[in-house]
């Protein structure tokens, strides 16, 4: 692992610590943090956890493994047994720099319970082009100090524009939001699930990059682009 990549991981660790300290700022006002817990790894994602009492067990996405590529789905809940707390945690937030220039994630699917993200959760990514958000209410956006921001650019403008897919009845709410409205917002009905990769490229996609563009699945492999039927796109 290179020196710059080690520095990135250390920055993530310190950012996670700051996030845990500030969890009470990113939850609904009726909840107050009761106990903040350590970071845990479930699958290929590191989460930070907090127990808010009243059976409200909170998980936030800290960062993704560098082994993840293509399409990644963040679950609604994670199962992690913590004595005296519980074992099912609802995923509610995405931390700063969850994606950076070392990741090769092209599309990210966030669950309906997502309540907040950071203004640079995705901005360092050089590969992300599709973001699926299943939350009906646009997530609140915070800065690095966990202060709410009303006017920021969530995605780097230097790369291919990121398309955001949201629930059918929430398209206008996202478009009207001062942060999310800067991206291209489309309904989930126009999203074609990566899992439907057909047989012509089945098995090969693990060596390539799966990506969505305007709801259409493409595979990039060996410097060539293929459609869902395995036909090369010139």
């Amino acid at each position: 692992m290179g020196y710059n990549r080690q520095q990135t991981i250390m920055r993530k660790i310190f950012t996670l610590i700051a996030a845990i300290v500030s969890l009470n700022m990113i939850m609904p006002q009726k909840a107050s943090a009761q106990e903040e817990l350590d970071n845990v790894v479930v699958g290929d994602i590191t989460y930070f956890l907090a127990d808010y009492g009243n059976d409200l067990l909170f998980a936030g996405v800290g960062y993704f493994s560098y082994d993840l590529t293509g399409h990644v789905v963040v679950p609604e809940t994670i199962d992690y047994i913590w004595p005296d707390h519980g074992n099912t945690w609802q995923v509610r937030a995405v931390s700063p720099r969850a994606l950076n220039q070392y990741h090769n994630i092209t599309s990210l699917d966030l669950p309906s319970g997502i309540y907040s993200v950071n203004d640079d959760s995705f901005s360092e990514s050089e590969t992300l082009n599709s973001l699926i958000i299943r939350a009906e209410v646009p997530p609140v956006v915070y800065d690095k100090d966990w202060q709410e921001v009303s006017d920021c650019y969530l995605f780097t403008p230097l790369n291919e524009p990121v398309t955001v897919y949201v629930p059918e009845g929430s398209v206008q709410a996202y478009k009207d939001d001062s942060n999310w409205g800067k991206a291209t917002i489309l309904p989930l009905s126009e999203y074609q699930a990566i899992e439907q990769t057909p047989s012509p490229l089945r098995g090969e996609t693990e060596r390539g990059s799966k990506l969505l563009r305007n709801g259409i699945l493409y595979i990039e492999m060996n410097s060539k682009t293929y459609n869902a039927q395995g036909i090369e796109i010139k």
Side-chain angles (χ1 to χ4, degrees), residues 177-190:
D177 187 271
S178 58
N179 295 313
W180 296 104
K182 295 177 182 178
T184 299
I185 306 295
L186 294 176
L188 278 170
S189 59
E190 296 190 26

Side-chain angles (χ1 to χ4, degrees), residues 112 131-138 164-176 185-193 215:
S112 62
L131 181 66
I132 299 91
I133 306 180
R134 301 184 182 274
E136 295 183 352
V137 177
V164 180
Y165 298 89
V166 303
E168 316 296 309
S170 302
V171 171
Q172 195 58 49
Y174 277 82
K175 287 183 176 181
D176 291 342
I185 306 295
L186 294 176
L188 278 170
S189 59
E190 296 190 26
Y191 164 67
Q192 181 177 350

Side-chain angles (χ1 to χ4, degrees), residues 137-153:
V137 177
V140 180
V141 180
Y142 292 91
D143 63 17
K144 61 182 177 61
D145 297 316
W146 296 99
Q147 301 295 314
E148 184 174 347
V149 292
S150 59
D151 188 14
C152 71
Y153 196 87

Side-chain angles (χ1 to χ4, degrees), residues 36-219:
E36 296 149 4
L37 308 174
D38 292 336
N39 303 331
V40 300
V41 179
V42 178
D44 291 302
I45 303 176
T46 298
Y47 299 89
F48 53 93
L49 305 181
D51 184 350
Y52 280 81
N54 298 320
D55 297 322
L56 180 57
L57 300 179
F58 172 102
V61 174
Y63 55 93
F64 299 91
S65 165
Y66 291 115
D67 294 330
L68 290 172
T69 61
H71 182 69
V72 173
V73 177
V74 177
E76 292 278 351
T77 60
I78 60 170
D79 292 326
Y80 191 89
I81 298 175
W82 201 295
D84 301 324
H85 293 284
N87 63 348
T88 301
W89 308 76
Q90 186 178 24
V91 180
R92 297 280 283 164
V94 181
S95 76
R97 299 186 180 92
L99 291 180
N100 61 48
Q101 67 269 31
Y102 299 113
H103 285 105
N104 290 303
I105 295 173
T106 55
S107 56
L108 184 63
D109 192 329
L110 298 179
S112 62
I114 287 292
Y115 173 80
S116 67
V117 302
N118 194 269
D119 61 356
D120 65 353
S121 291
F122 319 107
S123 63
E124 292 185 2
S125 173
E126 298 177 354
T127 57
L128 184 71
N129 56 58
S130 297
L131 181 66
I132 299 91
I133 306 180
R134 301 184 182 274
E136 295 183 352
V137 177
V140 180
V141 180
Y142 292 91
D143 63 17
K144 61 182 177 61
D145 297 316
W146 296 99
Q147 301 295 314
E148 184 174 347
V149 292
S150 59
D151 188 14
C152 71
Y153 196 87
L154 287 163
F155 311 102
T156 171
L158 302 178
N159 300 320
E160 184 177 345
V162 174
T163 301
V164 180
Y165 298 89
V166 303
E168 316 296 309
S170 302
V171 171
Q172 195 58 49
Y174 277 82
K175 287 183 176 181
D176 291 342
D177 187 271
S178 58
N179 295 313
W180 296 104
K182 295 177 182 178
T184 299
I185 306 295
L186 294 176
L188 278 170
S189 59
E190 296 190 26
Y191 164 67
Q192 181 177 350
I194 290 291
E195 289 79 4
Q196 295 176 350
T197 305
S199 56
L201 291 177
R202 199 178 305 279
E204 297 297 325
T205 56
E206 294 304 317
R207 301 206 304 267
S209 296
K210 296 170 281 188
L211 45 104
L212 291 168
R213 291 175 180 166
N214 296 325
I216 300 175
L217 171 66
Y218 294 94
I219 309 297

